C-alpha cells in the first residue's frame, strides 16, 4: 500500500487519495441501515381479522344469532346492514368527510378562545347544527397521536392502533373488516387511502395528494362525486377526503386569504351535504339511519406544518351528527363536554375524544367486529350520539317500562365495553405471543390482573343482575357504573402502556450500528494521521503553541456541539448553538487579527456574518412557532417581517434582484480576470445567465414592480424550467470535461480552481431559485463567510513563519466551514422536523406531481446551501493552504491536502451524527422520541449519507 501511495504521480495512484472516503461512506451507510433497523421498527403486524364467530369466545352477551341470551339482542332481518355481530348495530350507513389538517379552532366558535382570529367561525354550519336545541349533533376536540402525518393518522383512525414513526406494514383495519362483513365502501379524494387499502373499495375516485400547490383538484373531485353519491343506495360507508385546507396551510399559512376561502367553500359544501341527508332522513328514507362524521386527521401549526407532537398538530376537530331523536344525557362520569355560548348566544357543548377510539366506536355503531389491532375504547358520548333514543320494541326484555332510558342505554354500553375489553385483551395476548419483543412479563401480569378483576365483577354480579330482571332499579345503576369504570380502567391502562412501550427497539441491532459508527470514526482519524506520516508532515505539538492551541480548541468545539445533542433543549436550539460556536471561532480569529495588526476587516466581517445568521435563525424559529406571517410566501420568510410597510415591500422585492445582479457581476469578474476558457467558461457563463433569469423570474411575479402581467404564465413556470435545464447542461459539461478533456500538467493548480468555481456556480443557481428571495442573501453570506475563513486561516502561522504556512490542513478552518454550513441550513428556514421541509419549493416551475423530480428539488432546497455547495466548495481551503506554503512537492501535495480536508470535514459531520445516534438510543422511551429525537436522527442520518455521497462524487471530480 505504501508503494501505491507513493505512486501518486501515476494515473492509478490518485485512487490512494479517494479510497478512504469511499470506505467511510460504506461504513456509514451500513451503520445507519443497521441502527435504523433496530430503532425505527414498525411493530409486528398481525395478519389476522376479527370475525363474527370470534365473539363466542368472549364472556359477553352475543348478538350473532337471534336466539342470543342477551336481553338486548337485535331483531333478525333480511337486510345485511341489520345483521347483528359483536354488538347491536345502531346505524345502517356512515358518511365520513375528512378535511385534512382541520385545526380545532377551525370548527369551535371563537368565543371559546381568548382572542378571535381571522380563520375562525367560517364553518358556521357545524356550529349551528351543534347548538340547535334538540339537535343530535356534537363538536369534539379530537386528540391524535404523533407522528401527525396523513399516512400514519389514517392508519391510526382505521385500525385503532398507534402507528410508529415509519409505518409501512399492511393494514388490517376497519375497511378490511367492513368488506369482510358485506359492507360496501366508496372512497373519493386523497389517494393515500388507496395505498393503505388498495382492494377494499366498492368504488373509488382517488386523486394525487402530493402537489401542495394545487388547492382544488382533489376537492373538486370530491365535490363531483360526493353530492351525487348521497342520493344513491349502492354503499354502506362513504369516505370523502378533502385536501385543500392542508395544501393552503403548507403554501400560504393559516392566516391567509386562500385558507379562509377554502373554509368558506367547505362551509357551503357541508350545508349541501347536511341538507341532502336531512331530506332523505324520514321514515323509510335512504338516510333514516345514517351517521355523519366530519373530521380532521390531524391539525397544523400556524405556518401550515404538521408531523410533530405539538398541541396545534395533535389537536384536530370532529363533528358528529345523526338524524334520530337526540339521546338522553349520559352519566356525568362519562361526559367530557365543556359548554359555552356561540356567536349567536346559544349554548354549545364541545367534548373530547382520542382518535384511538374512532375505529372501535364506529365498529360498535355499525355492529361489525372490532379491528383486531385496536386498543381504543368505545367513546361513550359518540356512541350515545349514534344511539339516539333507544328503540327497543320487540325485544325480549321483561319490565322495560320499569327501566329508565338512561339505564337501558347503560346496559347496552356496559356490554359493548365488555366486548371492547375482551377484544383488547385478546389482541395483547396474540401480539405478545407473536411478536419478537412484545410486552414484558411484568406488564402482562399487570394487564391480566386488571382484566381479571373486571371480568370477575362482570361474571359474579353485573351479568347476573342484567339477566335477572326481578331486581330493583335502585341496585342496577350503581353496579353498571362500577362495571363501566372497571372496563374503562383496563382499556386506559393498556393504551397508556402501549404509548410508553409500543415501539420494538432491537438493542442488539442498535448497538451494532453504533459500533460501526465508532469504527468509521476511528478509521477517519487513522486516515488523517496516515497522510501526515506518509508525507512526513509535522503534527502540532505542545511546542507549536499557536497551531497546537488551535487544534485543541477545534476538538473542544466539535466535542461540545456533539455532546449538546444529548439534551432535548439543545436539539431544539441547535441553530443557535451552532451560531454561537461559529461566532466564538470568529472572536478567536479577531483576537489574532488585533494582536498581529492584520486582516481586521476580515475578522469584523466574519462576526457581522455570524450576527446575520443569528438573525436569520431567529426568523426561522419564529416561523416554526409564532406566526404564519413569515409564510405568506413559502420562500421569502426572512424578508417578510414587516411586510405591511410600503417601503419594506419595495425593499423585499428589489434587494434580492440587486444581489443576484451583484453575484452575476462577481462571477463575471472572476471569469474575466482568469484564464478560464472552453467548456469551463461555458459553465460559468451559464450560471451568470441563470442568475439573470432568476431576477427576471422574481420580477415577473412582483406586484410592486408592475411587471407581472407581461410575463404572466411564462415567468412562473418556464423560467424555472430553463434554469433547471441549464443546470443539468452544466453538470453534463462538467462530467464530459472530466472524462474527455485533457489537463495541462503545468497549470493543474489553476485547473482545480476553475473546476471548483464551475461546480459551485453550477449548483448555486438552482439552490438560490428554490430558496426563494432569501436565496441571494444566503448565497452572498456563504461567499463572504468562505472568503473570511480562507483569509483568516493562516494568520497565526504567517506571523510565526514568514516563509509560508504549514503543509498540514488545519482542522480549525474545516470546523468553521462545517459550522457555517449548519448555520446556513437553519438560516434558510429549515429545522430538523418534517414540518421544517418547504414542500412548496418542490413545485417551483411545475404544477403536476412526479415523485422523483419533486424529491430531487426538495432535497436541493433542503440541503443545497448546507451540504451540496459547501462540499463542492471545500477545495478552496486546500488551494489557499497550498498557495500559502512554499513547497515543491507539486500536485501530490495539493491532492494530499484536499484529501485531508475532505476526511476532516466528514469526520466532523460523523461526530455529530454519532452523538445523535447515542442520544436517540438513550432517549428511546422519552415522551418526545417521535416528536423530536426521531426526526433529528432522520435528518442527521440523511445529511451524513448525502455528505458522504457528495464527498465521493467530489473526489472523483477533483482528483480525476
Amino acid at each position: 500500500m505504501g508503494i501505491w501511495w507513493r505512486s501518486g504521480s501515476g494515473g492509478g495512484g490518485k485512487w490512494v487519495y479517494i479510497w478512504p472516503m469511499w470506505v467511510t461512506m460504506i461504513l456509514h451507510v451500513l451503520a445507519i441501515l443497521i441502527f435504523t433497523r433496530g430503532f425505527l421498527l414498525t411493530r409486528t403486524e398481525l395478519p389476522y381479522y376479527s370475525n363474527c364467530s370470534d365473539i363466542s369466545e368472549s364472556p359477553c352477551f352475543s348478538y350473532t344469532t337471534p336466539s342470543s341470551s342477551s336481553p338486548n339482542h337485535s331483531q333478525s332481518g333480511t337486510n345485511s346492514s341489520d345483521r347483528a355481530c359483536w354488538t347491536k348495530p345502531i346505524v345502517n350507513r356512515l358518511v365520513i368527510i375528512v378535511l385534512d389538517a382541520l385545526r380545532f379552532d377551525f370548527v369551535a366558535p371563537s368565543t371559546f378562545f381568548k382572542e378571535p382570529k381571522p380563520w375562525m367561525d367560517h364553518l358556521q354550519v357545524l356550529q349551528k347544527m351543534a347548538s340547535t336545541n334538540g339537535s343530535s349533533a356534537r363538536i369534539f376536540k379530537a386528540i391524535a397521536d404523533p407522528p401527525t402525518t396523513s399516512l400514519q393518522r389514517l392508519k391510526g383512525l382505521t385500525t385503532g392502533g398507534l402507528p410508529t414513526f415509519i409505518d409501512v406494514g399492511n393494514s388490517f383495519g376497519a375497511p378490511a373488516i367492513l368488506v369482510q362483513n358485506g359492507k360496501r365502501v366508496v372512497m373519493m379524494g386523497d389517494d393515500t387511502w388507496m395505498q393503505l387499502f388498495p382492494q377494499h373499495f366498492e368504488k373509488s375516485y382517488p386523486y394525487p395528494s402530493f402537489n401542495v400547490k394545487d388547492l382544488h383538484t382533489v376537492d373538486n373531485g370530491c365535490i363531483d362525486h360526493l353530492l351525487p353519491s348521497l342520493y344513491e343506495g349502492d354503499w354502506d360507508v362513504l369516505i370523502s377526503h378533502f385536501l385543500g385546507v392542508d395544501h393552503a396551510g403548507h403554501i400560504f399559512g393559516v392566516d391567509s386569504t386562500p385558507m379562509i376561502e377554502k373554509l368558506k367553500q367547505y362551509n357551503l359544501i357541508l350545508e349541501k351535504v347536511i341538507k341532502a341527508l336531512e331530506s332523505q332522513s324520514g321514515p323509510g328514507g335512504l338516510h333514516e339511519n345514517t351517521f355523519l362524521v366530519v373530521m380532521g386527521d390531524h391539525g397544523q401549526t400556524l405556518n401550515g406544518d404538521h408531523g410533530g407532537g405539538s398541541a396545534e398538530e395533535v389537536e384536530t376537530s370532529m363533528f358528529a351528527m345523526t338524524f334520530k331523536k337526540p339521546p338522553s344525557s349520559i352519566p356525568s362520569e362519562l361526559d367530557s363536554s365543556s359548554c359555552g355560548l356561540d356567536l349567536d348566544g346559544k349554548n354549545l357543548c364541545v367534548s373530547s375524544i382520542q382518535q384511538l377510539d374512532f375505529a372501535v366506536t364506529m365498529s360498535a355503531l355499525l355492529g361489525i367486529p372490532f379491528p383486531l389491532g385496536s386498543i381504543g375504547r368505545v367513546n361513550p358520548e359518540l356512541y350515545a350520539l349514534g344511539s339516539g333514543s333507544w328503540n327497543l320494541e320487540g325485544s325480549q326484555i321483561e319490565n322495560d317500562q320499569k327501566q329508565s332510558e338512561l339505564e337501558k342505554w347503560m346496559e347496552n354500553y356496559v356490554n359493548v365495553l365488555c366486548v371492547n375489553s375482551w377484544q383488547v385483551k385478546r389482541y395483547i395476548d396474540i401480539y405478545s405471543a407473536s411478536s419478537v419483543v412484545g410486552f414484558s412479563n411484568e406488564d402482562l401480569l399487570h394487564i391480566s390482573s386488571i382484566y381479571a378483576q373486571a371480568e370477575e365483577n362482570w361474571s359474579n354480579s353485573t351479568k347476573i343482575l342484567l339477566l335477572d330482571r326481578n331486581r330493583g332499579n335502585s341496585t342496577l345503576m350503581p353496579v353498571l357504573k362500577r362495571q363501566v369504570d372497571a372496563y374503562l380502567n383496563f382499556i386506559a391502562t393498556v393504551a397508556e402502556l402501549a404509548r410508553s412501550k409500543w415501539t420494538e427497539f432491537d438493542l442488539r441491532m442498535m448497538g451494532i450500528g453504533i459500533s460501526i459508527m465508532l469504527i468509521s470514526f476511528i478509521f477517519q482519524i487513522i486516515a488523517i494521521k496516515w497522510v501526515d506520516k506518509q508525507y512526513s508532515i509535522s503534527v502540532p505539538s505542545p511546542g507549536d503553541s499557536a497551531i497546537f492551541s488551535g487544534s485543541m480548541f477545534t476538538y473542544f468545539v466539535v466535542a461540545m456541539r456533539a455532546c449538546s445533542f444529548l439534551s432535548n433543549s439543545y436539539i431544539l436550539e441547535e441553530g443557535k448553538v451552532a451560531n454561537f460556536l461559529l461566532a466564538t471561532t470568529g472572536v478567536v480569529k479577531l483576537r489574532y487579527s488585533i494582536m498581529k495588526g492584520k486582516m481586521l476587516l476580515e475578522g469584523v466581517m466574519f462576526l457581522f456574518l455570524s450576527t446575520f445568521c443569528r438573525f436569520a435563525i431567529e426568523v426561522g424559529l419564529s416561523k416554526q412557532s409564532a406566526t404564519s406571517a413569515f409564510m405568506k410566501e413559502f420562500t421569502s420568510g426572512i424578508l417578510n417581517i414587516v411586510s405591511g410597510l410600503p417601503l419594506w415591500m419595495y425593499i423585499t422585492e428589489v434587494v434580492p434582484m440587486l444581489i443576484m445582479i451583484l453575484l452575476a457581476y462577481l462571477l463575471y469578474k472572476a471569469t474575466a480576470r482568469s484564464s478560464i476558457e472552453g467548456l469551463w467558461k461555458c459553465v460559468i457563463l451559464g450560471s451568470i445567465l441563470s442568475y439573470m433569469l432568476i431576477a427576471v423570474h422574481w420580477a415577473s411575479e412582483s406586484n410592486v414592480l408592475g411587471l407581472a402581467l407581461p410575463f404572466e404564465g411564462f415567468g412562473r413556470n418556464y423560467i424555472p424550467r430553463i434554469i433547471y435545464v441549464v443546470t443539468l447542461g452544466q453538470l453534463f459539461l462538467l462530467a464530459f470535461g472530466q472524462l474527455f478533456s485533457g489537463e495541462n500538467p503545468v497549470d493543474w493548480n489553476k485547473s482545480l480552481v476553475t473546476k471548483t468555481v464551475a461546480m459551485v456556480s453550477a449548483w448555486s443557481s438552482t439552490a438560490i431559485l428554490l430558496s426563494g428571495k432569501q436565496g441571494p442573501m444566503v448565497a452572498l453570506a456563504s461567499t463572504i463567510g468562505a472568503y473570511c475563513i480562507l483569509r483568516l486561516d493562516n494568520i497565526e502561522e504567517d506571523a510565526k513563519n514568514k516563509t509560508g504556512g504549514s503543509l498540514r490542513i488545519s482542522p480549525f478552518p474545516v470546523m468553521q466551514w462545517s459550522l457555517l454550513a449548519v448555520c446556513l441550513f437553519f438560516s434558510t428556514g429549515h429545522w430538523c422536523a418534517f414540518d421544517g421541509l418547504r414542500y412548496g419549493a418542490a413545485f417551483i416551475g411545475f404544477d403536476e406531481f412526479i415523485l422523483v423530480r419533486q424529491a430531487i428539488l426538495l432535497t436541493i432546497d433542503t440541503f443545497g446551501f448546507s451540504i451540496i455547495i459547501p462540499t463542492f466548495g471545500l477545495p478552496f481551503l486546500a488551494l489557499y493552504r497550498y498557495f500559502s506554503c512554499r513547497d515543491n512537492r507539486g500536485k501530490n501535495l495539493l491532492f494530499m491536502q484536499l484529501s485531508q480536508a475532505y476526511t476532516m470535514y466528514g469526520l466532523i459531520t460523523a461526530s455529530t451524527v454519532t452523538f445523535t445516534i447515542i442520544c436517540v438510543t438513550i432517549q428511546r422511551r422519552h415522551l418526545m422520541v417521535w416528536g423530536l429525537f426521531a426526526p433529528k436522527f432522520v435528518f442527521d442520518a440523511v445529511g451524513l449519507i448525502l455528505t458522504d455521497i457528495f464527498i465521493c462524487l467530489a473526489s472523483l471530480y477533483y482528483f480525476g
Side-chain angles (χ1 to χ4, degrees):
M1 182 63 69
I3 297 175
W4 189 27
W5 181 275
R6 292 183 177 86
S7 65
S9 58
K14 294 179 181 179
W15 281 100
V16 74
Y17 308 109
I18 297 176
W19 73 267
M21 307 172 197
W22 288 81
V23 172
T24 300
M25 181 182 70
I26 294 172
L27 289 174
H28 286 166
V29 170
L30 188 62
I32 295 298
L33 288 177
I34 293 176
F35 182 86
T36 302
R37 183 73 180 273
F39 176 63
L40 295 181
L41 282 175
T42 59
R43 67 176 185 276
T44 302
E45 292 284 356
L46 303 180
Y48 309 125
Y49 297 95
S50 298
N51 298 296
C52 281
S53 58
D54 296 338
I55 195 66
S56 61
E57 303 172 8
S58 80
C60 314
F61 295 134
S62 172
Y63 292 98
T64 55
T65 63
S67 60
S68 168
S69 60
S70 166
N72 293 331
H73 66 75
S74 67
Q75 306 174 59
S76 63
T78 58
N79 192 328
S80 65
S81 63
D82 292 331
R83 288 203 305 266
C85 191
W86 282 18
T87 59
K88 177 187 178 70
I90 295 173
V91 301
N92 293 340
R93 310 186 93 194
L94 178 62
V95 177
I96 301 175
I97 298 177
V98 180
L99 306 181
D100 208 289
L102 186 70
R103 286 168 58 98
F104 175 62
D105 55 7
F106 285 169
V107 177
S110 59
T111 53
F112 279 54
F113 303 93
K114 293 182 179 179
E115 180 183 356
K117 297 294 184 181
W119 56 82
M120 297 179 181
D121 299 321
H122 294 292
L123 295 177
Q124 294 187 3
V125 63
L126 303 184
Q127 298 177 15
K128 177 183 177 182
M129 299 308 299
S131 62
T132 301
N133 291 331
S135 171
S136 297
R138 176 65 66 93
I139 293 174
F140 294 82
K141 175 190 284 187
I143 309 300
D145 288 284
T148 49
T149 50
S150 292
L151 179 66
Q152 277 78 7
R153 283 296 84 234
L154 292 182
K155 190 165 185 181
L157 282 168
T158 54
T159 62
L162 295 172
T164 51
F165 189 72
I166 295 179
D167 199 342
V168 295
N170 295 322
S171 293
F172 298 92
I177 297 174
L178 286 167
V179 173
Q180 191 182 45
N181 285 271
K183 301 292 185 181
R184 299 158 298 175
V185 186
V186 173
M187 187 283 300
M188 57 201 68
D190 186 351
D191 61 356
T192 304
W193 288 91
M194 300 304 296
Q195 300 175 36
L196 288 172
F197 308 102
Q199 306 295 331
H200 297 90
F201 299 111
E202 186 82 10
K203 292 190 293 186
S204 61
Y205 308 97
Y207 297 90
S209 59
F210 284 101
N211 188 355
V212 294
K213 291 176 65 178
D214 186 351
L215 306 186
H216 306 294
T217 298
V218 177
D219 289 357
N220 291 340
C222 288
I223 296 169
D224 292 342
H225 297 288
L226 172 59
L227 295 175
S229 296
L230 297 179
Y231 295 93
E232 299 173 357
D234 58 350
W235 55 267
D236 300 301
V237 177
L238 187 150
I239 301 170
S240 184
H241 191 146
F242 292 76
L243 281 176
V245 161
D246 180 64
H247 289 183
H250 280 304
I251 299 299
F252 303 102
V254 171
D255 185 8
S256 64
T257 300
M259 176 65 76
I260 294 172
E261 290 175 349
K262 266 293 161 189
L263 292 174
K264 290 180 178 178
Q265 181 191 22
Y266 287 174
N267 189 66
L268 294 175
I269 295 168
L270 293 173
E271 282 183 347
K272 295 179 181 179
V273 169
I274 293 174
K275 183 178 179 179
L277 294 175
E278 281 183 328
S279 66
Q280 304 171 81
S281 62
L286 191 61
H287 297 297
E288 177 185 5
N289 199 16
T290 295
F291 194 65
L292 170 66
V293 178
V294 180
M295 63 187 301
D297 54 346
H298 51 73
Q300 58 177 304
T301 62
L302 289 177
N303 57 22
D305 298 320
H306 58 88
S310 68
E312 289 180 307
E313 294 167 281
V314 300
E315 291 179 359
T316 183
S317 295
M318 181 184 296
F319 169 86
M321 181 176 184
T322 183
F323 300 94
K324 303 175 184 178
K325 180 182 175 182
S328 0
S329 60
I330 63 175
S332 57
E333 298 89 342
L334 302 177
D335 191 348
S336 65
S337 63
S338 59
C339 300
L341 299 179
D342 64 8
L343 295 176
D344 297 326
K346 296 180 180 180
N347 191 55
L348 189 150
C349 296
V350 175
S351 302
S352 63
I353 184 175
Q354 296 287 330
Q355 278 194 354
L356 198 66
D357 303 338
F358 179 77
V360 67
T361 305
M362 293 299 105
S363 297
L365 289 173
L366 289 168
I368 62 173
F370 303 166
L372 178 64
S374 172
I375 57 171
R377 68 168 186 168
V378 176
N379 182 270
E381 294 162 285
L382 192 59
Y383 186 70
L385 187 66
S387 305
S389 292
W390 282 91
N391 180 11
L392 300 174
E393 294 179 2
S395 70
Q396 300 177 6
I397 302 176
E398 297 179 1
N399 302 321
D400 260 354
Q401 295 78 9
K402 298 180 181 179
Q403 297 181 345
S404 68
E405 185 176 337
L406 175 59
E407 186 173 293
K408 288 185 286 184
W409 180 85
M410 282 289 288
E411 290 178 24
N412 284 272
Y413 183 62
V414 77
N415 188 62
V416 168
L417 284 184
C418 176
V419 176
N420 192 180
S421 301
W422 165 78
Q423 170 265 323
V424 171
K425 179 62 167 59
R426 175 171 172 254
Y427 172 62
I428 293 300
D429 291 341
I430 296 175
Y431 177 81
S432 298
S434 304
S435 173
V436 177
V437 180
F439 295 103
S440 67
N441 291 331
E442 181 181 351
D443 293 333
L444 291 175
L445 288 174
H446 180 59
I447 292 173
S448 299
S449 174
I450 297 176
Y451 181 74
Q453 185 177 357
E455 278 306 295
E456 182 180 2
N457 187 57
W458 168 265
S459 301
N460 295 338
S461 59
T462 310
K463 192 172 183 178
I464 295 175
L465 285 173
L466 290 175
L467 290 172
D468 187 358
R469 292 298 160 189
N470 294 321
R471 301 255 180 180
N473 291 342
S474 60
T475 62
L476 191 56
M477 197 64 182
V479 172
L480 293 175
K481 288 183 178 180
R482 284 196 299 270
Q483 189 64 52
V484 168
D485 290 340
Y487 282 140
L488 291 181
N489 178 48
F490 165 72
I491 299 173
T493 301
V494 172
E496 182 181 358
L497 179 64
R499 284 191 175 96
S500 63
K501 297 184 177 181
W502 193 261
T503 306
E504 300 173 356
F505 298 108
D506 190 333
L507 294 179
R508 185 178 65 87
M509 298 290 285
M510 295 168 69
I512 294 174
I514 294 175
S515 301
I516 297 176
M517 281 298 297
L518 293 175
I519 291 173
S520 72
F521 199 78
I522 296 172
F523 173 78
Q524 287 173 292
I525 295 175
I526 293 174
I528 295 172
K529 298 295 183 183
W530 191 20
V531 171
D532 295 335
K533 181 179 180 181
Q534 293 296 323
Y535 274 84
S536 303
I537 299 174
S538 59
V539 180
S541 62
D544 303 322
S545 58
I547 302 176
F548 181 77
S549 61
S551 298
M552 292 303 296
F553 183 73
T554 300
Y555 305 149
F556 174 75
V557 170
V558 172
M560 180 184 295
R561 178 167 183 263
C563 291
S564 70
F565 294 138
L566 298 177
S567 166
N568 63 320
S569 298
Y570 280 98
I571 291 177
L572 288 170
E573 303 291 344
E574 180 184 358
K576 293 182 180 179
V577 172
N579 180 258
F580 171 79
L581 295 176
L582 181 67
T584 303
T585 64
V587 171
V588 171
K589 287 296 185 180
L590 181 62
R591 170 179 172 269
Y592 280 114
S593 297
I594 295 173
M595 290 175 58
K596 308 305 177 184
K598 58 191 302 185
M599 299 185 189
L600 289 175
L601 177 61
E602 287 84 348
V604 173
M605 285 174 60
F606 193 77
L607 286 181
F608 178 80
L609 173 69
S610 65
T611 303
F612 166 79
C613 289
R614 176 57 186 267
F615 168 75
I617 292 169
E618 290 287 353
V619 172
L621 292 175
S622 300
K623 286 169 52 183
Q624 184 176 354
S625 59
T627 173
S628 63
F630 297 99
M631 291 296 288
K632 296 207 175 187
E633 296 290 341
F634 62 88
T635 56
S636 57
I638 293 178
L639 299 176
N640 259 339
I641 304 168
V642 285
S643 57
L645 298 177
L647 177 60
W648 184 256
M649 293 179 65
Y650 278 99
I651 292 175
T652 58
E653 295 286 350
V654 174
V655 168
M657 302 178 202
L658 294 178
I659 296 178
M660 288 305 305
I661 295 173
L662 174 61
L663 291 172
Y665 174 76
L666 293 176
L667 192 57
Y668 171 76
K669 293 295 290 183
T671 306
R673 291 181 179 179
S674 65
S675 57
I676 298 176
E677 56 186 15
L679 63 86
W680 311 105
K681 189 170 185 177
C682 291
V683 169
I684 296 175
L685 290 177
S687 297
I688 296 174
L689 172 63
S690 295
Y691 290 172
M692 303 311 296
L693 286 174
I694 292 173
V696 173
H697 170 63
W698 289 335
S700 69
E701 293 187 329
S702 172
N703 295 323
V704 176
L705 300 180
L707 299 176
L709 290 179
F711 290 94
E712 189 174 6
F714 176 78
R716 186 171 67 89
N717 281 341
Y718 288 101
I719 289 181
R721 294 179 187 181
I722 292 173
I723 294 171
Y724 300 149
V725 171
V726 170
T727 300
L728 288 174
Q730 289 173 299
L731 296 177
F732 174 78
L733 285 177
L734 292 175
F736 179 85
Q738 182 65 21
L739 291 173
F740 300 107
S741 79
E743 186 178 88
N744 190 335
V746 179
D747 297 327
W748 50 265
N749 50 0
K750 294 181 181 179
S751 174
L752 185 57
V753 173
T754 302
K755 285 183 177 182
T756 307
V757 173
M759 180 61 76
V760 170
S761 67
W763 282 103
S764 63
S765 55
T766 298
I768 292 172
L769 173 67
L770 296 178
S771 296
K773 293 177 184 177
Q774 64 183 353
M777 299 177 65
V778 176
L780 184 62
S782 62
T783 303
I784 295 173
Y787 172 77
C788 293
I789 291 173
L790 296 178
R791 291 282 293 157
L792 295 170
D793 180 15
N794 297 326
I795 188 170
E796 313 99 297
E797 296 160 0
D798 287 345
K800 181 181 177 182
N801 183 6
K802 300 296 183 180
T803 61
S806 169
L807 297 179
R808 186 177 188 268
I809 289 289
S810 172
F812 192 92
V814 179
M815 176 263 295
Q816 286 184 303
W817 200 274
S818 176
L819 286 176
L820 179 61
V822 174
C823 289
L824 292 178
F825 174 81
F826 291 96
S827 297
T828 49
H830 295 96
W831 57 90
C832 293
F834 292 123
D835 56 359
L837 297 172
R838 283 201 304 267
Y839 298 100
F843 292 91
I844 295 180
F846 302 99
D847 293 324
E848 66 280 359
F849 174 80
I850 298 177
L851 179 61
V852 175
R853 181 183 64 199
Q854 264 58 55
I856 292 173
L857 294 179
L858 186 62
T859 301
I860 296 175
D861 171 67
T862 306
F863 298 108
F865 283 111
S866 59
I867 291 180
I868 300 175
I869 292 177
T871 302
F872 281 116
L874 197 62
F876 285 125
L877 273 180
L879 286 164
Y880 196 85
R881 172 70 64 168
Y882 175 81
F883 289 131
S884 67
C885 66
R886 309 290 178 85
D887 192 277
N888 59 1
R889 304 191 195 191
K891 183 187 300 185
N892 287 343
L893 174 61
L894 179 56
F895 283 167
M896 174 276 301
Q897 291 174 329
L898 183 56
S899 175
Q900 202 172 49
Y902 272 122
T903 307
M904 286 182 181
Y905 189 77
L907 177 63
I908 293 171
T909 305
S911 66
T912 59
V913 178
T914 301
F915 273 80
T916 298
I917 290 177
I918 294 173
C919 173
V920 297
T921 303
I922 297 173
Q923 305 287 1
R924 65 188 182 278
R925 298 296 183 190
H926 195 280
L927 181 65
M928 300 174 67
V929 62
W930 304 123
L932 176 65
F933 297 110
K936 170 62 177 170
F937 163 71
V938 171
F939 269 76
D940 278 10
V942 171
L944 176 63
I945 299 303
L946 285 177
T947 299
D948 286 336
I949 289 174
F950 281 104
I951 284 177
C952 290
L953 292 177
S955 67
L956 293 177
Y957 174 69
Y958 292 125
F959 291 101

